[in-house]
Amino acid sequence: MTWQFYKYCVLFMWCVDLTCKCYGQSISGLTLSNQLKNIVNNGLGANYVQNEFDKLAYTSYPLDGPALIQELGTTLGSKFQSRITALKNIKQVVEQQYSSFSSSGSTKQCCSSTGLEYNALFKGQVDVNDYCNMISGTASSGRKLANAAVYNQMKANLNADSTLKYQYYGSEEGVLINYPKIKQSSCTSYDPRYRPWYVETATPKPKDVVIVIDTSGSMGSLYNGRSYMAIAQDAAKTVLETLNPNDKVGIVAFSSTARRPPGQASTSTCYSSTLALATPQNIKYLKSYISTLYPSGGTYYGLAMTAAFELIKNSPLYGEMRGNINNSTDKERDDQVIIFLTDGVPSDGNSALSVIRDQNHALNNRVVVMTFGIGSSVKTSAILTSMGKQDLNSVSYGPIRRTTYTWVSDLDNLRSNMAGFYSFFSSSEEIIDPIFSVPYQDAFGIGLVTSACLPIYFGNLKGVACVDIPVSELLEDATYFQQGELSYAFITDSRGRALTHPLLPKPKDKGDDPIFVFAADLERSAGAEEILASMRRSESGNKTILSTRSFARGDVNKEGVHTRSGVLSHYFWYPIGYNNFSVCIVVGDNDRQARLNTLSASNDANTFTYHRLDLKNSGTTCKHFQRLARKDTSTVMLTATAFKDPYNYFERNDSLSDVNAYELYFRGQSNSLSSNPVKDNVRKSVIATKVGNTFWTSSSNTASSYVVWRAIGTIEGIMRVYPGVQLAKDYNHQLRPWYLYIRY
């Protein structure tokens, strides 16, 4: 049998082509073809390397789906367990100590932090021997500060599990205790109550929110040097910041007309006719739209409320969205609210009341109306009071959820008054199981995280405690799942979204905002919906269907993909303990995993020279295209795929002791790697690819003058390159167009 799990790449210098252009000559296709074959075989050594690989002995194993899914599910569950244990410890201490929290004493504000040092675990300057507080500028005057017992528990958690990230407790009074201590530029700008992790924990049900903003001419009035309009814009943006992708949101701006982004509803259906999921991308767009609003015209309440109800009526409830119907009760799960802000009396009388009655009757009175007023003309407002109470509505159409009109005398508090709308929907029933937030970019520099959170009660809701978990760490086992040619793994959440899938970009700690895609849009084969529905119900199971595989032709943007249909696929799924996530392994029929038999390593640089020449270099170096290089041997990079713990690979920086340990292990002088162990077949892969180094450095390499780089990339995550150079830590040949094009 032929060993076919290695890919080769050669980069050409087109000297012949340049010479031909210079002299105006042409070259025949046959001549070019022969020259390319010469380079591939005599410069790269493809035939020689393949012949050597054909001599290797290996064993092919069928993939055991039930065993693989059990192992993967258990591994993922154990990662959650340590975080949940830490979280429950914090909750217990806060509830035990709450009565002793005091408004006096040292505030230890994060904006005044000193004595910080860089910590690779937290990817920034921290002090793991201390904590700090963030006190919002709108915090309650009698706000209480957590005592040292809370900090001591957080520190004990980190001592028990050195992989923990930030731990924190945010209070209903607007105070955050954060461990470890960090440095914040502002002393008052951070308010935990308006962060998505807090709001999602306090009100875990999905919310449909329509923000209605008065843009009449009077909104140009000034308050402490700022216009009402500017203050209202800031308040509306803060409301948007409290939302998460489980929620949906829309904007209505009104004066003499009612407008929805991006303009009149008749010109576009995007944002103007339905609510949008509160994804980071949509929130950014809606914020930019709010920034364009300016004061002009009258104050027509009725038109505004009509436009707001149309957005709600045209939008499916979360349970009705594609791939997300668990049972009939899903249609009752959304909290729906219209947040109405104005500074003036209506130009159209009491028409808004009849609009609320008629429109909400059609929706069984499930929409809540919250009214906020600014300016002296609405200090006492009968109509805004009646709108919140829905005085014209009849309970025969459903229970009416009445609210109290809020007149904001100090406009500096408008932001906190409006953003606190979610408190109306807080559950009176104590939440026991942790809430896992939708992934978001961490405010303190960790990158993309999910927060495991629990509400804190002392009679009623007092705050929220959380532990951050990097998304890439949680998903690494599924992301780097490498078994066979047609098999893969993916993870979904309780809403049916795909957290990781081969058709999605790999999760990153830092960078772009997360992409939220329903798994049903990626797994589209007949029979897949039944599988995904079972996963949303946190069930385990297996099913065989015919599915389609999509593979990149190389650079997806330039060369697209090709598909293989009718693949008999065995799906195995398993719930990840302690949360509503679920993992699925898809095994192609007759897909097998090949394992090299025992290979003997030689204790020499040709077998293994680690690519970090800046840390250790025992040979003669030179400059190759302005890079430190070795021409006497190739270098080997171990990409994230090669390690049992890919996340740990990215977290730690290579040291000289790591390089020495790698050399001993891959040259056969030791049998284990204690600091960052690699997968079982990786050492054999390194030894097998030595044949490339043998050819590249030999005198028989007759076409070397045409070749700039030579490389062998393996499915186990080994990248051997000649001349030997250092590669970037996040380099992964398996994502490069040349590898994808050849493999698929």
Side-chain angles (χ1 to χ4, degrees), residues 13 119 133 147 264 294 299 311 321 347 443 453 504 540 583 597 626 631 689 700 713 718:
M13 293 175 58
N119 186 298
N133 291 309
N147 60 23
Q264 297 295 332
Y294 60 90
T299 313
L311 285 174
M321 298 178 69
S347 304
C453 301
L504 293 177
S540 61
V583 61
N597 294 344
Q626 306 303 312
K631 291 193 174 181
T689 59
S700 61
I718 300 303

Side-chain angles (χ1 to χ4, degrees), residues 21-41:
K21 286 185 177 180
C22 180
Y23 292 98
Q25 298 176 354
S26 62
I27 186 170
S28 71
L30 180 60
T31 300
L32 178 60
S33 174
N34 290 334
Q35 185 61 32
L36 290 176
K37 290 179 181 178
N38 177 51
I39 292 173
V40 169
N41 291 319

Side-chain angles (χ1 to χ4, degrees), residues 102-109 131-133 135 143 145-147:
S102 173
S103 58
S104 60
S106 174
T107 59
K108 284 194 173 184
Q109 293 215 58
Y131 70 95
C132 63
N133 291 309
I135 304 175
R143 80 285 185 278
L145 302 175
N147 60 23

Side-chain angles (χ1 to χ4, degrees), residues 68-81:
L68 286 171
I69 193 62
Q70 182 71 36
E71 178 184 358
L72 188 54
T74 302
T75 300
L76 291 169
S78 66
K79 293 184 177 182
F80 284 100
Q81 178 57 61

Side-chain angles (χ1 to χ4, degrees), residues 335-410:
D335 283 323
Q336 297 180 305
V337 59
I338 296 173
I339 301 174
F340 186 94
L341 172 65
T342 184
D343 78 325
V345 297
S347 304
D348 52 353
N350 293 334
S351 64
L353 293 177
S354 58
V355 171
I356 294 172
R357 177 196 63 204
D358 297 340
Q359 297 291 335
N360 217 4
H361 281 183
L363 296 170
N364 300 318
N365 283 342
R366 66 172 179 253
V367 178
V368 174
V369 179
M370 293 183 170
T371 53
F372 295 85
I374 56 177
S376 58
S377 63
V378 290
K379 183 176 182 179
T380 58
S381 174
I383 185 171
L384 290 172
T385 300
S386 292
M387 287 170 63
K389 292 183 177 180
Q390 303 190 47
D391 284 339
L392 295 188
N393 290 43
S394 170
V395 294
S396 62
Y397 290 92
I400 301 170
R401 304 175 73 181
R402 306 181 192 276
T403 65
T404 302
Y405 166 56
T406 302
W407 179 70
V408 184
S409 58
D410 184 352

Side-chain angles (χ1 to χ4, degrees), residues 2 46 58 94 173 185 261 303 305 323 330 428 439 488 531 582 592 656 738 742:
T2 301
Y58 67 94
V94 172
E173 298 171 322
S185 58
L303 293 177
M305 294 305 296
D330 273 353
S428 58
Y488 61 92
I531 296 169
S582 186
R592 304 177 72 85
L656 179 58
W738 60 266
I742 297 172

